[in-house]
Amino acid sequence: MMRYFLSSIAILFFFSSFGQNLPNHMTDKEKSQMKSYLQNITSKGNTTPPQGDLRTPGEWEEIDYLTITWRSYKEILSQIVKHAQKEATVIIHCSDSNTVKTELNNYGVTPTNVKYIQAPSNSIWIRDYGAQTVYKNAVDSLILVDWIYNRPRPNDDAIPEHTASALNIPLYQTTKAPYELITPGGNFMTDGFGTAFSSNLILDENPSLTESEIDSIMYKFMGIDTFIHMTNLPYDGIHHIDMHMKLLDEETLLVGEYPQGTADGPQIEANLLYVLNHFNSKFNDPFEVIRIPMPPSPSGLYPDQGGYYRTYTNSVFVNNSLLVPTYYEEYDTTALRILRENLPGYNVTGINSSDIIPASGAIHCITKSIGSDNPLLISHQPYNDTVSFQGAYNVEATIRHRSGIGSATLHFTSDTSAGYQTVSMSPGASNQWEAQIPQQNNQTEIFYYLSATSNSGKTITRPLPAPDGYWSFIADPSVGIIEHAAKHTQMDNVFPNPASAITAIPVNSKNPEKISLYLFNSLGQQVKKIFEGKTKAGKNHYFIDASKYPAGTYLIQMKSVSNTQTQKLIIGK
């Protein structure tokens, strides 16, 4: 009788947990429950760090599964299933699989590549409580790493255990001292090679840990050796960086942009300048930056004016597709164009997220990827825009698989409709492969991609949607140097520096190019727009009068179509 009573209570709790409709942010009631929740955390996985050379992959890498939790906002979830099941198996955490199938059909979606895991949950926000994909020995065995969820939602926090059990993947958890770590998945981005980004929320929610102790846990469990923490944004109530930024590849940051002085715009600019001034990409070059608008409400209100926190960066890669939150046509059209131009070949698909955004989240927040259990890694720094070089164009890539690489191929063409020519790549040291694109006529646009086959027979391309996806550059054989990032306009050293009066900003341009020059103070606030317009070919000089500004440290930023550059300026009196 007692066993039956306890079972009934468990069943009642199980189904009542599915009746809730919790937002992404913590409710007032949950704030009072958080201390008790943390005192009762239990573990079902390994609580000591995994062994081996760990690598947490980037979101653009190949995945086997996209996971969601079937609760509220089912019309949005059904659209995610509709598009994602073409690219990967969709795992749906739910209370009853037959109910989900019926509801999907009611929304016009026939589930064809779906796996169901029946387990209790508290909320839809699986990005934050789902486990992270990590590889041992960079491309070897797949494991999952689970942090303590930063909400007192115990059923949600147990979802990684159900996932790992159903897929038979080893689970490691940061739930016991000295490795206890609280953080949500929406506040984490990585370049796939040991650099990761987070807001200072991770410091705020782990007050018993020093910054270096947090960094150590991330290294020991996930192979993160450079952990970049950025100032929290004042109008983003959850402080999850996926609401305003995303990595599109190893060196490209997609960053939301507000009108000047609006909402979180000033702090986003300050954080971006901090990153660009202190960190490089894995290729030891400055990160590339692509800006995308942060849209207001249809009535024109931004978050500092009472509008919801609308965002396009809160998108998710699903192999050859990118699923993007959309709101209304005026801004959606621009955002989708920016993404399609920078991700050729990808199926960039908008999913209307107007209903869910008031709950402080969008598409990225309600999805979580699980990487391939047989990853074949290709990493390459592409040529972009105009490349000035005399002779063949050398193409290098890191290519790895646990069975070794049998062959790798460079594919290139000046006309994608005519097909691609191929060149076999040659292996070198440290998993490096290379081949050459022959010298091209001046102003010829070249499209190219890479493919590789492992010794065990697996084949993959990079970019993933190749040959529809590709990198491209315009050949310019007139100069004997290679400029990887098309930085044909380089800001030279500002002088005098320190400055107290008229200060010169030299800018050299190989060709006329539209640029913008700004002066920012140490808080990241724009002090002056110095210049906006086209440079002339050759040397250009722009000026500010430093005597008009208070003493202190400033940043001069130059933005062009292809890149952003900054310099520190000291103003004294």
Side-chain angles (χ1 to χ4, degrees):
M1 183 68 177
M2 178 63 71
R3 179 179 296 177
Y4 174 79
F5 175 76
L6 291 175
S7 298
S8 299
I9 293 294
I11 291 171
L12 178 64
F13 177 75
F14 179 94
F15 284 105
S16 67
S17 70
F18 277 86
Q20 303 172 26
N21 186 13
L22 294 170
N24 202 2
H25 57 267
M26 195 184 302
T27 65
D28 290 338
K29 181 178 180 180
E30 287 179 317
K31 291 175 183 177
S32 66
Q33 297 171 335
M34 191 66 182
K35 182 177 180 180
S36 174
Y37 159 72
L38 292 175
Q39 290 172 343
N40 290 282
I41 291 290
T42 59
S43 305
K44 291 187 178 179
N46 302 298
T47 56
T48 55
Q51 299 300 305
D53 179 21
L54 304 177
R55 186 181 72 88
T56 303
E59 290 187 16
W60 57 88
E61 294 186 40
E62 182 188 17
I63 67 169
D64 284 347
Y65 304 99
L66 186 74
T67 68
I68 62 173
T69 302
W70 192 263
R71 295 186 56 87
S72 48
Y73 308 105
K74 293 176 181 178
E75 185 171 3
I76 296 173
L77 289 176
S78 67
Q79 290 301 302
I80 292 173
V81 174
K82 175 183 177 180
H83 297 290
Q85 66 183 357
K86 302 172 186 176
E87 302 283 356
T89 300
V90 178
I91 291 179
I92 302 179
H93 294 274
C94 59
S95 58
D96 178 72
S97 61
N98 290 324
T99 299
V100 177
K101 294 171 188 176
T102 299
E103 291 179 327
L104 281 169
N105 282 311
N106 290 340
Y107 284 111
V109 178
T110 302
T112 58
N113 191 17
V114 173
K115 179 180 178 66
Y116 302 91
I117 298 178
Q118 296 190 169
S121 63
N122 301 114
S123 73
I124 195 174
W125 311 105
I126 196 169
R127 173 65 50 178
D128 292 332
Y129 56 76
Q132 307 289 324
T133 294
V134 177
Y135 293 115
K136 291 185 176 181
N137 300 317
V139 291
D140 206 329
S141 50
L142 168 67
I143 63 171
L144 296 176
V145 173
D146 175 32
W147 306 315
I148 300 173
Y149 184 28
N150 68 340
R151 303 283 185 264
R153 302 171 184 175
N155 289 338
D156 286 351
D157 208 13
I159 287 292
E161 296 168 0
H162 298 296
T163 305
S165 176
L167 301 179
N168 196 28
I169 301 174
L171 179 68
Y172 291 80
Q173 296 179 301
T174 61
T175 53
K176 287 190 176 180
Y179 305 118
E180 290 174 298
L181 183 69
I182 305 166
T183 192
N187 193 35
F188 176 81
M189 295 278 175
T190 180
D191 70 344
F193 289 88
T195 294
F197 298 79
S198 172
S199 76
N200 283 339
L201 176 68
I202 196 169
L203 308 180
D204 301 337
E205 292 188 324
N206 293 279
S208 63
L209 298 174
T210 66
E211 186 169 354
S212 62
E213 287 172 334
I214 291 172
D215 292 352
S216 176
I217 293 171
M218 296 297 289
Y219 175 74
K220 290 179 179 178
F221 278 81
M222 304 186 70
I224 301 301
D225 53 25
T226 302
F227 197 16
I228 302 171
H229 310 137
M230 300 173 291
T231 301
N232 295 343
L233 304 184
Y235 293 98
D236 173 11
I238 59 174
H239 305 311
H240 296 183
I241 62 171
D242 64 354
M243 295 297 283
H244 74 276
M245 70 172 286
K246 186 177 191 66
L247 277 88
L248 300 184
D249 58 32
E250 298 94 322
E251 64 175 352
T252 306
L253 303 176
L254 179 72
V255 182
E257 186 170 44
Y258 283 104
Q260 181 181 339
T262 301
D264 283 334
Q267 190 60 61
I268 289 174
E269 302 308 316
N271 289 352
L272 181 57
L273 288 172
Y274 166 73
V275 170
L276 296 176
N277 275 274
H278 292 85
F279 304 96
N280 283 339
S281 75
K282 66 152 292 194
F283 303 114
N284 204 32
D285 285 337
F287 284 97
E288 298 292 325
V289 179
I290 296 169
R291 305 310 297 266
I292 195 165
M294 299 288 282
S297 68
S299 60
L301 299 179
Y302 287 98
D304 58 337
Q305 303 158 341
Y308 293 125
Y309 214 96
R310 291 173 173 84
T311 166
Y312 295 110
T313 63
N314 202 268
S315 56
V316 64
F317 281 104
V318 193
N319 292 327
N320 299 326
S321 292
L322 181 73
L323 307 184
V324 184
T326 53
Y327 309 96
Y328 56 99
E329 187 176 5
E330 179 184 355
Y331 280 83
D332 296 345
T333 301
T334 299
L336 294 174
R337 174 185 56 79
I338 290 170
L339 291 167
R340 287 168 180 152
E341 287 176 352
N342 287 279
L343 294 167
Y346 280 86
N347 300 313
V348 178
T349 301
I351 295 177
N352 191 292
S353 300
S354 296
D355 288 345
I356 196 173
I357 205 68
S360 303
I363 303 300
H364 193 256
C365 297
I366 59 176
T367 57
K368 196 62 174 277
S369 304
I370 298 176
S372 169
D373 69 351
N374 184 28
L376 200 170
L377 173 67
I378 302 178
S379 178
H380 165 66
Q381 183 181 27
Y383 292 121
N384 296 313
D385 293 341
T386 303
V387 180
S388 300
F389 184 68
Q390 292 177 341
Y393 296 86
N394 197 53
V395 175
E396 298 179 344
T398 300
I399 306 179
R400 298 185 66 179
H401 187 266
R402 60 190 175 209
S403 71
I405 301 300
S407 64
T409 305
L410 164 64
H411 307 253
F412 70 94
T413 185
S414 59
D415 181 359
T416 55
S417 64
Y420 287 80
Q421 300 180 58
T422 60
V423 178
S424 295
M425 302 185 76
S426 301
S430 302
N431 302 299
Q432 296 300 299
W433 292 71
E434 67 176 3
Q436 289 75 40
I437 298 174
Q439 182 170 333
Q440 302 293 314
N441 294 328
N442 194 20
Q443 299 305 302
T444 300
E445 185 168 14
I446 298 299
F447 308 88
Y448 74 103
Y449 69 94
L450 305 178
S451 65
T453 301
S454 72
N455 286 331
S456 61
K458 176 168 183 173
T459 297
I460 203 168
T461 60
R462 182 79 193 276
L464 278 181
D468 294 330
Y470 48 73
W471 298 294
S472 65
F473 66 92
I474 296 175
D476 178 4
S478 61
V479 181
I481 61 170
I482 293 179
E483 300 176 29
H484 261 284
K487 296 172 183 172
H488 302 299
T489 301
Q490 301 284 359
M491 183 166 51
D492 286 345
N493 291 333
V494 175
F495 64 94
N497 191 4
S500 58
I502 298 299
T503 306
I505 305 163
V507 173
N508 288 319
S509 291
K510 183 177 182 296
N511 298 300
E513 185 175 9
K514 186 176 180 180
I515 67 165
S516 299
L517 277 173
Y518 303 94
L519 180 69
F520 291 88
N521 63 19
S522 59
L523 298 177
Q525 299 166 329
Q526 182 179 312
V527 175
K528 180 179 176 61
K529 181 186 286 185
I530 303 168
F531 173 80
E532 187 173 74
K534 264 195 173 182
T535 64
K536 65 179 187 294
K539 287 193 173 183
N540 301 259
H541 288 90
Y542 306 97
F543 303 90
I544 61 168
D545 185 354
S547 67
K548 294 182 178 180
Y549 305 103
T553 300
Y554 294 75
L555 290 172
I556 293 177
Q557 180 191 78
M558 187 193 78
K559 297 177 69 173
S560 67
V561 173
S562 57
N563 71 100
T564 299
Q565 301 170 48
T566 59
Q567 279 191 46
K568 185 184 294 184
L569 173 67
I570 306 298
I571 293 181
K573 295 297 181 183

